Every structure is written in C-alpha cells, then in structure tokens.
Amino acid sequence: MSLDDASVNPADRLGKALAGDMAAVNTLIRERMASEHAPRIPEVTAHLVEAGGKRLRPMLTLAAARLCGYDGPYHVHLAATVEFIHTATLLHDDVVDESQRRRGRPTANLLWDNKSSVLVGDYLFARSFQLMTECQNLDVMRILSNASATIAEGEVLQLTAAQDLNTDEGIYLQVVRGKTAALFAAATEVGGVIAGGSEAQVRALADYGDALGIAFQIVDDLLDYGGSDATIGKNTGDDFRERKMTLPVIKAVAKADAEQRAFWSRVIEAGDQKDGDLEQAMALMTGHGALESARQDALSWAARAQKALEPLPAGDLRDMLADLAGYVVARIS
C-alpha cells in the first residue's frame, strides 16, 4: 500500500475535503513564522514546515471543528497553533536525539547547529501561545497550554526511561501519552471546544485523538524495525542505535532469558553495539512474538479511536477520521 495513493490514504482525502481551510492555515503559518530581525528563524522553520509533512495534527483540529458545525475563523488559528507546537517539539527532539534525518531530509540541527534549532523551537512555542490567545477562549488556552507542559514532561520522562531495561509497558504508555498522544488529543479537543460542541462530543474528540496518537507512536516504533527508510523518513534501526526502550524492545526484554537479557543490557544499557546486533535484536523480538504483540496493541488502540467517534455526527468527516485510524495501522498489517 503506497502512502502516496490518495485513493486509499484517508489523510489525503481529509486534506482534499479541508483544502480551503488548510490553505488558510498554511498562509497563517508563513505569516507568523516570519521575523523582521532574525532571518534565521524563517529559514530554519521553513526547512521543517515545508518539508512535505501531511500536516496531520492541524487537519485534525480543522476536521473536529467542522464536524461539530463550526463556521467561524478561529479553527484556522488553532490549527496553526498545533502545527507550531509540533514543529517546535521536532526541532528540540532532533537536538536531544542527535538525529540526522527528519522527513527524509537532513535535520535543522545538522544543517545549522543545535543552538539555532533550540532557539527557533522556543520562538515557535512563543508564536503558538500568541496565536491561541487570539481566539479569546480560556478553555482552548487551558487545553493547549496543558498539552505543551505534558509534551515536555513526556520528553523528560523518556530521558529517564531510555536505556533502562526496567522500563515497562506502563512507563512506555506514559511517555507516549506525553510526547505524542497529548498533542493529538489537544488538536481534536480544541476543535470541538471552539465549535461549541457538547461535553460528550468534546470528550469523544479528545479520546479519539489520544487513542489515535498512541496507535500512531506504536506504529512508528514498529516501522523502525521493519519499514523502509523512505516510508519512515529516517534510517531503519535508528531507535535501536539510539538505545530507545520502545514497545517491541520492552516486550522482548520482558520474555528474555539470562543470556538474552545480557545481550539487551550490552546493546541498550551499555551502548556496546557491534555489527549484526540489530539483526540479532530483531530475531529476538520476532522469536518472542514482541513485534506481533506490539502490532496487536496498535490495532487495539486504532479500534478504540474509531469507537470513540460514535457520539459525533455521522457523515463524511467522521468516516474519514475513522478511516484514518485504520490506515495508521494498515502500514504494519
């Protein structure tokens, strides 16, 4: 299944359905990422923002608002806010992870430097808060500011959980809810809030975003051990080389015997990696059913996302959001 086939890709179908709104979002992003005094800001931002990402998170905000009948202007501001928060976290993440590729291109920290990436990320966070205040809605500001804090908390938790074989699935879920699912949930929730959706509808949208974000991250973790470089936008095996305790590794470690645990301790905790270690790690994950178990977890979260949509009005937008959850996990089915 090709990611570029619009006939099967709900993200592309959603993009077409929201084309007018997305054009307004893109215009607003370009306006607000400008800087009269620091030209490096739009240079670094444009490198990532215009790198061909599908703008999934802002599309979720737009779709949620439209699904709840919104016809005002501020869903565009909120969608741009969400994209700025996301881009800021990517700039910071690439510095922390010492990454060299993002969306198939050299990372900003590689092309410029770490200082530029961190400071431009800070600028985008500031811009995001300026944008959200323009909506003059305290609930929206509360949701997005809480999400920003949760994202940072999740990243710090990941630092303490990384390279620690005692990290279990409960801690992993906390990390994923922080660094990934929090922004998905906020993106959908604020769309419902700005539209004046009912409490049940807003809760349903938040639950949908949370479950979709968890499924999305599990799939990303799985693709690192089985996707093509072109599909995942980074080098296959990067998570292993960065010694990350992602879900497939956690599941394999939980079932490891003493000899296997010694292997995991060497490559993850000590960072002593040799030629052939990635292949051995994948063999252990396959042998213990860790990859298949993680795949089933992703499918379960996608199904939970689809079920969460039931209180929302039936129609094409709801169908596309449901299809999107299925498509996220179709890449590893």
Side-chain angles (χ1 to χ4, degrees), residues 130-169:
Q130 287 178 328
L131 275 166
M132 74 175 77
T133 60
E134 291 174 22
C135 300
Q136 298 183 342
N137 185 306
L138 283 176
D139 285 336
V140 159
M141 288 189 279
R142 173 183 54 79
I143 292 163
L144 288 171
S145 58
N146 285 348
S148 298
T150 300
I151 291 166
E153 187 178 36
E155 294 290 355
V156 175
L157 177 59
Q158 181 174 246
L159 279 180
T160 61
Q163 302 158 22
D164 182 356
L165 293 191
N166 292 317
T167 297
D168 59 19
E169 292 190 32

Side-chain angles (χ1 to χ4, degrees), residues 91-147:
L91 286 167
H92 289 168
D93 287 353
D94 286 342
V95 172
V96 172
D97 294 339
E98 300 180 352
S99 301
Q100 296 186 343
R101 289 181 67 199
R102 168 74 66 179
R103 294 173 180 166
R105 306 172 73 193
T107 54
N109 53 301
L110 188 65
L111 291 178
W112 285 275
D113 50 55
N114 286 343
K115 292 178 182 178
S116 294
S117 289
V118 170
L119 292 173
V120 172
D122 291 345
Y123 177 84
L124 293 181
F125 267 124
R127 277 298 203 208
S128 74
F129 280 90
Q130 287 178 328
L131 275 166
M132 74 175 77
T133 60
E134 291 174 22
C135 300
Q136 298 183 342
N137 185 306
L138 283 176
D139 285 336
V140 159
M141 288 189 279
R142 173 183 54 79
I143 292 163
L144 288 171
S145 58
N146 285 348

